[in-house]
Amino acid sequence: MPELVVTALLAPSRLSLKLLRAFMWSLVFSAALVAAAVYGCIAFTHVLCRPRRGCCGRPRSAPPACVSDPTLGEHCFLTLKSSGLRLHYVSAGRGNGPLMLFLHGFPENWFSWRYQLWEFQSRFHVVAVDLRGYGPSDAPRDVDCYTMDLLMTDIQDIILGLGYSRCILVAHDWGALIAWNFSIYYPSLVERMVIVSAAPMSVYQDYSIHHIGQFFRSNYIFLFQLPWLPEKLLSMSDFQVQWGKGQWNFPLEPQELATPTLLLWGEKDTYFEQGLVGAISSRFVPGRLEAHILPGVGHWIPQSNPGEMHEYMWAFLQDLLD
């Protein structure tokens, strides 16, 4: 068939796809503007109620002493093979067992894993990393430097750069989104996973389409599609205004999950509905997921309820230690 004829036949389909994409993005940015108005009101309310904190974040001359606590581990830097970026991490328990790698969420850093670093360094080599863009780690300015593919490559480079071929991956919030994807595309590098308060993006997307309540809980995701404004709002009242963070991608293909995984979820999670736990379970190979909903607990389980988290983790990992 002549190329001109093929092009003519495909033209309506291509035009329809372009129009659909334009329509979807118009909805996203409309929602982003609404979210910006809502969070702008929240931010200004913080400023009005606590004027001494000011309208912007106050610079600190030195980090707080707690982040230099030697019992948490040694502060190190690793140069990644693929990108050449230098990432900061805290390491403890080298030689005590398998690698346990921690991925933090937003707006957090390695210190969010302080209780887990103390707890597990006796039987594991625990490493809590600052992902690219956080803390002392390198932070490329181009937004294209933060795609999921690049973030997953970072995790691969960290595991291999530390001298391991596999790890136990422990992740929360945005770090857990990276971990879900990493377990799908790099399964040979993940022996077990512990996921806290996050669903795979494909599960989250499908669930949100069918559950309007989750859609409204995730309104902050729309806000983060705008340039510079989220950072300005977040810094107001000396960074007292906080919310979760997400990357809005669509559409995504459903994927079967097979890595042995412990999933911990807070009953009172502000950002994610409990129904997501069932949706995640439906995508798993039978017998590979152990899920627990913690009564009366919110989104920040590693810091608010470390004792409960540790009990579940020790039981989940016991056979690796026998």
Side-chain angles (χ1 to χ4, degrees):
M1 187 178 294
E3 183 178 348
L4 186 61
V5 176
V6 173
T7 301
L9 291 173
L10 292 178
S13 297
R14 289 173 174 169
L15 179 60
S16 298
L17 288 174
K18 289 182 178 180
L19 291 174
L20 178 60
R21 183 175 179 83
F23 174 71
M24 291 294 292
W25 277 113
S26 67
L27 289 180
V28 168
F29 281 103
S30 296
L33 293 175
V34 173
V38 171
Y39 284 106
C41 291
I42 294 173
F44 281 108
T45 299
H46 274 268
V47 173
L48 292 175
C49 293
R50 299 172 179 85
R52 294 181 62 184
R53 288 178 177 164
C55 291
C56 299
R58 296 196 300 269
R60 270 68 172 178
S61 57
C66 58
V67 300
S68 301
D69 185 345
T71 64
L72 290 174
E74 179 185 4
H75 291 256
C76 310
F77 284 86
L78 177 67
T79 300
L80 303 182
K81 180 180 178 181
S82 300
S83 64
L85 296 178
R86 292 178 75 246
L87 298 190
H88 169 259
Y89 67 94
V90 173
S91 168
R94 178 177 283 277
N96 291 346
L99 173 63
M100 182 180 286
L101 180 62
F102 296 92
L103 307 182
H104 62 79
F106 176 91
E108 300 174 290
N109 60 10
W110 73 268
F111 189 66
S112 65
W113 299 111
R114 56 194 177 279
Y115 298 116
Q116 290 70 45
L117 291 172
W118 277 319
E119 180 73 13
F120 294 100
Q121 62 181 266
S122 62
R123 302 297 301 275
F124 297 90
H125 177 199
V126 292
V127 172
V129 64
D130 278 331
L131 298 170
R132 62 165 69 189
Y134 293 81
S137 292
D138 285 348
R141 296 185 64 85
D142 192 341
V143 70
D144 291 336
C145 292
Y146 297 88
T147 64
M148 184 58 71
D149 287 345
L150 292 176
L151 294 172
M152 289 193 295
T153 301
D154 286 354
I155 307 308
Q156 177 191 35
D157 286 348
I158 292 168
I159 296 169
L160 299 179
L162 291 172
Y164 293 87
S165 59
R166 305 189 81 187
C167 76
I168 298 158
L169 198 54
V170 185
H172 173 249
D173 189 73
W174 174 243
L177 295 181
I178 301 172
W180 281 121
N181 278 276
F182 189 79
S183 70
I184 294 168
Y185 293 101
Y186 299 87
S188 64
L189 296 180
V190 185
E191 188 167 12
R192 299 280 178 90
M193 277 207 309
V194 179
I195 297 293
V196 187
S197 307
M201 187 57 76
S202 60
V203 175
Y204 166 81
Q205 175 185 261
D206 184 65
Y207 184 90
S208 297
I209 291 172
H210 297 93
H211 298 80
I212 192 66
Q214 180 59 57
F215 185 84
F216 283 111
R217 287 190 186 213
S218 306
N219 53 49
Y220 60 86
I221 291 179
F222 295 105
L223 175 64
F224 281 100
Q225 308 314 305
L226 298 174
W228 69 263
L229 181 59
E231 290 86 345
K232 295 297 182 183
L233 293 178
L234 190 64
S235 68
M236 294 181 69
S237 194
D238 197 30
F239 295 94
Q240 294 301 306
V241 184
Q242 294 185 2
W243 48 78
K245 181 175 174 65
Q247 181 176 342
W248 191 263
N249 297 318
F250 57 83
L252 298 172
E253 292 294 328
Q255 293 142 327
E256 189 175 52
L257 305 168
T259 300
T261 300
L262 170 65
L263 176 64
L264 301 178
W265 206 270
E267 179 193 25
K268 302 295 185 181
D269 195 308
T270 305
Y271 306 107
F272 301 115
E273 293 185 353
Q274 287 186 48
L276 278 164
V277 175
I280 295 168
S281 301
S282 68
R283 298 282 180 87
F284 256 89
V285 170
R288 297 294 180 90
L289 176 68
E290 177 185 332
H292 299 278
I293 297 176
L294 280 58
V297 176
H299 182 72
W300 312 98
I301 294 173
Q303 300 160 64
S304 65
N305 297 79
E308 292 175 78
M309 179 176 175
H310 298 163
E311 288 182 18
Y312 284 120
M313 285 182 65
W314 281 121
F316 178 67
L317 301 171
Q318 187 59 52
D319 62 303
L320 298 180
L321 302 172
D322 292 338

